[in-house]
Amino acid sequence: MSIFIYIVITIATFITMEAITWLTHKHIMHGFLWYLHKDHHQPKYAHTFEKNDAFFVIFAIPSILLFYFGLVPNLNVLFFIGLGILCYGIAYFLIHDVLIHQRFKWFKHTKNKFLLGLRKAHKIHHKHLGKEDGECFGMLYVPKKYHKQYK
């Protein structure tokens, strides 16, 4: 396959991961795996790590397997699907843990309107401390109403 096809597959996987994240967040993290996600909805973190951080490992496993099977016996499309998942995971970490929750103080004073809208939508999501009545389950795509106030 050509490099162009591999790039398209990587980008398509990245985009698809937003839908997978939304569905997983709403139906699994706020569903039967709430016991892992619950501490993430508490106002103050008691520790450096949360049970919720287990989801980073859970979501990394498919990417790692796709990297492996995408190289054995030869480079194939699975590698680039794994790469798309990895790229989304990096974006998720930077947006969710760094920008929104400020677990690292790298982008503390951003004035970017898009990023401020993402932060606002996630704060609305976290106003619900229980697993019911949630909203804004996505990470990169949120309703436009959260961006409007920053125009």
Side-chain angles (χ1 to χ4, degrees):
M1 277 196 217
S2 74
I3 190 72
F4 176 75
I5 298 296
Y6 288 146
I7 291 169
V8 168
I9 289 168
T10 302
I11 293 169
T13 301
F14 182 96
I15 292 167
T16 302
M17 285 304 298
E18 178 67 9
I20 291 169
T21 298
W22 191 94
L23 291 167
T24 302
H25 190 182
K26 181 174 174 90
H27 298 291
I28 295 175
M29 296 166 92
H30 281 252
F32 69 93
L33 288 181
W34 175 249
Y35 70 94
L36 286 176
H37 189 57
K38 182 179 180 180
D39 65 343
H40 181 66
H41 278 263
Q42 302 312 306
K44 297 288 181 192
Y45 300 126
H47 308 287
T48 303
F49 295 103
E50 314 166 354
K51 289 180 193 172
N52 185 68
D53 292 333
F55 289 108
F56 278 107
V57 176
I58 292 168
F59 290 125
I61 291 169
S63 183
I64 293 166
L65 290 171
L66 287 162
F67 277 128
Y68 175 78
F69 291 112
L71 289 172
V72 175
N74 298 332
L75 182 65
N76 63 69
V77 69
L78 296 178
F79 180 89
F80 296 95
I81 295 171
L83 182 60
I85 295 170
L86 172 66
C87 291
Y88 187 86
I90 292 168
Y92 190 97
F93 169 75
L94 291 173
I95 297 295
H96 183 263
D97 287 290
V98 176
L99 174 76
I100 294 171
H101 288 291
Q102 309 261 317
R103 288 175 82 177
F104 303 91
K105 308 298 183 201
W106 299 340
F107 305 120
K108 191 171 182 158
H109 302 290
T110 185
K111 298 201 183 333
N112 181 286
K113 293 173 180 155
F114 176 75
L115 296 177
L116 291 170
L118 292 179
R119 186 183 283 168
K120 175 71 173 174
H122 201 77
K123 285 184 180 186
I124 295 299
H125 174 75
H126 274 269
K127 79 177 183 178
H128 304 286
L129 298 179
K131 69 180 187 175
E132 290 83 19
D133 301 322
E135 55 187 290
C136 297
F137 291 96
M139 195 264 303
L140 292 176
Y141 175 79
V142 298
K144 290 182 184 184
K145 67 182 181 179
Y146 298 108
H147 298 286
K148 284 183 180 178
Q149 70 188 57
Y150 300 108
K151 288 187 177 189

